[in-house]
Amino acid sequence: MTVYLLCFVLFLVGLYGVITRRNLIKIAISLSIMEFSIFLILVLIGYIDNGLAPIVDPGSNAQVYVDPLPQAMVLTAIVIGLATTAMLMAIAIRLYRKYKTFDIREIKNLRG
Amino acid sequence: MEGMSTIVKKVSQLVAGIIFMYGIYIILHGHLTPGGGFAGGAIIAGAFILLILAFGSSALNLKKEVAGSSNTESVAILMVVILAIMSLLMGIKVFFTNFLPKGEPGTLLSAGVIPLYNIFIGIEVAGAILTIFLALVIFKEESSK
Amino acid sequence: MELTISIILGFMIIGAIYAIHAKDLLSAVIAMGIVGYGLVICFLLLKAPDLAIVQIVIETITLVIMVAVVLDSTRKELELPFDRKSLVNMVTGFVIFAGLFYFFLHAIEHLDPLGMHSLRMAEPYVNGAVELTGSINLVTGVLFDFRAYDTLGEAVILYTAALGALTLLRMKGKKTV
């Protein structure tokens, strides 16, 4: 149970960053940290004691394998995470060129 | 963006080919060993990114490169949809059916259409990551002028 | 197993806290690397080699892109005074944390303990998957046969993100004075 609790703490650290930071780069980092904690908790749920990695050996008898469903879901989510982070970076560098700052509150005031 | 020193250029020239071959191996053996289209595509994109970082952006025609990579990923995702529609037309009328013969599990030529999906998804992932990276590089070049 | 993963998670939490509080944006990005590469070790220990390969490559590319953006703009974190708005933000944050923690404690009762997972949903995916798909890698079988719609949606999202980045960065904005 401590593992799930620590995963939840990692999620809360990311959420704290999103709520309190005002720098766009820091917000992107916090979003990535939240993503990582979700990946880890999904894979932890699918783990089975003494289970094998989900690659079947055709010759051998039936054995216990780790649940492949959460792994397949996380595999797509990791690649989507890269795409969203790259999108955020594109938006951030574009805003920096226009306003010369990463501060979101100042960008909101300078709008126009 | 400036290129790096001669030693870095030579070593990255030697290493990038090996990384590229490793990516192709990961994609082709996706149904037998850990890996598949997503991992292999990211590795292939990594090989190109290594070359761009080492040689600098002045060594290549960036506009042509980004047009090529975005066209490649468009064609790849179109091929995935065409494969799905082909399985709708052949055999039972369901999207994403495995309509080719399965073969013997554990050999390279097995699992029906799964290796084809792996190849096209790999090309798509590589093209998408490379397009984003090249767009960032072009933006940096144009704004520093 | 539980102890090892707890220790790695502890390091990841320390790295995350440092990444959020660092005064230098470059060191914040590098500290995010601690979290990402720690995740790779956790995946290897949890018998998920597919995920470990993907995560280690993707993390490296993410770091390259973020370092490029930080070096291109500025490395300094904003120097902000501690005013009333940030106090309101912090209080809001801790209220949300308390609420989430309450729901977490209720949700965790229905979860199997680590390592005692029962294959309720994935039973048909594991048994007979080799005969149905012909692929001995079960993750690839699930990804491209049983749940191919997920994969198509993922590919479309990736394509849209690439086009979005291209549009954002290549369009001509209004001239800044």
Side-chain angles (χ1 to χ4, degrees):
Chain A
M1 284 299 148
T2 48
V3 187
Y4 294 131
L5 195 67
L6 283 171
C7 263
F8 187 66
V9 170
L10 191 62
F11 180 83
L12 287 187
V13 170
L15 192 62
Y16 174 80
V18 171
I19 291 175
T20 60
R21 296 296 114 175
R22 282 165 56 179
N23 192 323
L24 270 172
I25 303 280
K26 288 283 179 72
I27 291 175
I29 289 173
S30 312
L31 278 173
S32 298
I33 289 168
M34 281 165 77
E35 261 173 23
F36 290 159
S37 73
I38 299 293
F39 299 159
L40 191 51
I41 211 166
L42 276 174
V43 177
L44 277 172
I45 287 172
Y47 179 70
I48 296 174
D49 271 339
N50 300 320
L52 294 177
I55 291 162
V56 179
D57 191 359
S60 70
N61 298 322
Q63 277 162 322
V64 182
Y65 295 106
V66 175
D67 194 348
L69 182 55
Q71 295 193 11
M73 287 159 77
V74 171
L75 189 63
T76 57
I78 289 174
V79 182
I80 292 176
L82 170 71
T84 52
T85 311
M87 261 311 265
L88 268 174
M89 286 297 115
I91 294 171
I93 192 85
R94 187 88 202 176
L95 284 173
Y96 183 82
R97 281 281 183 276
K98 194 161 167 59
Y99 296 110
K100 302 289 174 218
T101 179
F102 277 136
D103 188 345
I104 47 171
R105 217 180 284 172
E106 205 166 317
I107 289 170
K108 209 167 72 181
N109 292 336
L110 287 174
R111 184 177 49 198
Chain B
M1 200 163 60
E2 287 289 301
M4 296 186 188
S5 68
T6 316
I7 300 172
V8 178
K9 279 182 186 173
K10 204 72 204 168
V11 170
S12 60
Q13 240 177 0
L14 293 174
V15 169
I18 299 172
I19 297 174
F20 194 82
M21 295 282 280
Y22 179 64
I24 292 175
Y25 164 80
I26 288 271
I27 289 180
L28 288 183
H29 286 71
H31 54 296
L32 304 176
T33 52
F38 295 101
I43 291 170
I44 288 177
F48 281 115
I49 287 175
L50 172 70
L51 281 178
I52 293 170
L53 286 178
F55 280 83
S57 49
S58 55
L60 49 133
N61 186 349
L62 285 171
K63 297 265 170 61
K64 211 181 265 180
E65 294 275 324
V66 77
S69 68
S70 61
N71 284 345
T72 312
E73 64 158 346
S74 311
V75 171
I77 198 165
L78 191 65
M79 284 305 294
V80 172
V81 178
I82 286 175
L83 271 176
I85 292 175
M86 269 171 71
S87 64
L88 188 68
L89 299 178
M90 301 169 70
I92 46 173
K93 306 274 185 282
V94 186
F95 242 30
F96 292 112
T97 323
N98 204 340
F99 60 86
L100 290 178
K102 304 282 191 317
E104 188 188 342
T107 52
L108 188 58
L109 288 177
S110 66
V113 288
I114 288 180
L116 290 176
Y117 277 130
N118 259 330
I119 290 170
F120 289 120
I121 288 285
I123 295 172
E124 208 270 330
V125 171
I129 294 174
L130 203 60
T131 306
I132 294 172
F133 186 76
L134 282 172
L136 280 165
V137 172
I138 291 177
F139 182 72
K140 191 177 171 182
E141 290 289 305
E142 284 186 347
S143 60
S144 69
K145 260 180 214 164
Chain C
M1 175 58 78
E2 195 162 1
L3 185 69
T4 324
I5 290 177
S6 303
I7 292 169
I8 297 170
L9 258 171
F11 279 117
M12 283 162 70
I13 290 170
I14 294 169
I17 291 172
Y18 181 74
I20 287 175
H21 287 281
K23 286 284 168 220
D24 187 355
L25 284 184
L26 194 59
S27 47
V29 172
I30 304 289
M32 196 198 89
I34 299 175
V35 187
Y37 291 121
L39 195 62
V40 176
I41 302 172
C42 289
F43 283 157
L44 277 180
L45 288 175
L46 291 169
K47 307 282 165 62
D50 300 83
L51 295 182
I53 294 176
V54 176
Q55 172 70 22
I56 200 165
V57 181
I58 292 288
E59 181 64 29
T60 311
I61 294 174
T62 312
L63 278 184
V64 168
I65 290 178
M66 290 185 102
V67 167
V69 167
V70 167
L71 288 183
D72 198 24
S73 51
T74 177
R75 278 177 62 173
K76 285 198 194 69
E77 164 71 316
L78 312 162
E79 305 249 339
L80 298 171
F82 191 80
D83 57 349
R84 230 182 75 230
K85 262 189 173 173
S86 48
L87 187 72
V88 170
N89 279 353
M90 280 181 78
V91 171
T92 320
F94 281 110
V95 169
I96 293 175
F97 290 177
L100 279 179
F101 197 74
Y102 176 76
F103 286 115
F104 172 76
L105 284 183
H106 276 266
I108 197 114
E109 287 171 9
H110 302 285
L111 218 57
D112 299 324
L114 181 66
M116 304 289 174
H117 176 63
S118 60
L119 291 169
R120 285 194 305 274
M121 301 287 285
E123 190 88 57
Y125 290 158
V126 176
N127 298 334
V130 176
E131 288 78 36
L132 283 173
T133 66
S135 155
I136 61 169
N137 186 347
L138 292 181
V139 177
T140 308
V142 171
L143 210 56
F144 291 105
D145 201 311
F146 296 119
R147 288 186 162 259
Y149 280 107
D150 285 10
T151 312
L152 182 66
E154 188 275 344
V156 171
I157 288 175
L158 200 59
Y159 180 63
T160 316
L163 284 193
L166 209 58
T167 318
L168 267 175
L169 293 174
R170 303 282 288 125
M171 71 183 171
K172 293 276 182 283
K174 270 188 282 185
K175 275 266 188 285
T176 49
V177 180

